[in-house]
Amino acid sequence: LKKNFYKNNSQLGTPFLAQNCNIKTSDNLIIYGHHINTGLMFADIDKYKNYNFYKNHKYIKFYTLENEETKENLYEICFAFKTVANSNGFNYYNYTKLDNNDYFSNFVESCRNIELYNTYVETRLGDKFLTLSTCEYSQKDGRMVIVGKKIN
């Protein structure tokens, strides 16, 4: 949270993969990043509160050091929601393995229950997801979250 890519101190921090995720085996990769009001880092995630912004920015390209730009690295946003990072909120960060129908259904239903708008993107068991999370300041411990479904 307080180091740059070179491990030097930085208030901007570096986006990072959740501790309970494995880049190769998790069904839902969760990446956290600071919301910097000057527009840096994950500040644009806050713009997904607006349906018109979503309509013009429906996809996330995700790269790692191990892959090249291919269709397999493209995610279509299926959910945008606000929650809180405490016991009163939706604990989206616990859903990294979605290979069980009940667990998958619970994840999708929970997202749909608090989504800001319907994207009409269909999901099914076996889909892979990328979740981006940042601070959201309309409530105490608020989080703004977008979830993208991997396009195969």
Side-chain angles (χ1 to χ4, degrees):
L1 284 174
K2 305 229 183 233
K3 302 273 184 183
N4 65 19
F5 284 108
Y6 304 102
K7 300 180 182 178
N8 297 320
N9 290 334
S10 170
Q11 289 301 97
L12 296 178
T14 302
F16 62 93
L17 187 67
Q19 178 179 335
N20 57 337
C21 286
N22 180 306
I23 197 99
K24 294 182 180 182
T25 62
S26 292
D27 299 315
N28 183 21
L29 299 174
I30 302 165
I31 300 177
Y32 298 101
H34 282 304
H35 174 172
I36 305 299
N37 287 329
T38 59
L40 298 174
M41 303 309 273
F42 274 25
D44 281 351
I45 292 173
D46 201 54
K47 294 178 182 177
Y48 282 94
K49 291 177 186 175
N50 181 306
Y51 179 71
N52 287 326
F53 183 83
Y54 156 76
K55 284 191 333 187
N56 293 308
H57 303 88
K58 292 184 178 185
Y59 300 97
I60 302 168
K61 288 184 179 180
F62 180 63
Y63 306 93
T64 69
L65 295 175
E66 296 179 358
N67 63 31
E68 298 175 17
E69 183 176 357
T70 66
K71 187 176 179 185
E72 293 179 344
N73 299 317
L74 190 63
Y75 292 77
E76 182 176 14
I77 295 171
C78 48
F79 306 111
F81 58 85
K82 297 188 310 183
T83 189
V84 291
N86 59 43
S87 60
N88 296 323
F90 167 42
N91 298 326
Y92 59 93
Y93 41 81
N94 289 331
Y95 291 88
T96 59
K97 291 299 287 177
L98 302 171
D99 53 0
N100 170 296
N101 191 51
D102 290 337
Y103 209 60
F104 173 82
S105 296
N106 187 271
F107 172 71
V108 171
E109 183 177 319
S110 296
C111 289
R112 291 223 186 276
N113 285 339
I114 60 173
E115 67 186 352
L116 297 171
Y117 41 80
N118 191 337
T119 63
Y120 299 99
V121 174
E122 293 184 21
T123 60
R124 65 174 194 250
L125 183 65
D127 286 340
K128 303 293 184 190
F129 297 93
L130 177 68
T131 298
L132 305 181
S133 175
T134 193
C135 292
E136 194 278 324
Y137 300 112
S138 70
Q139 54 194 334
K140 183 176 172 33
D141 297 324
R143 297 294 181 269
M144 182 65 199
V145 180
I146 58 173
V147 179
K149 176 183 86 167
K150 191 172 190 178
I151 298 173
N152 294 327

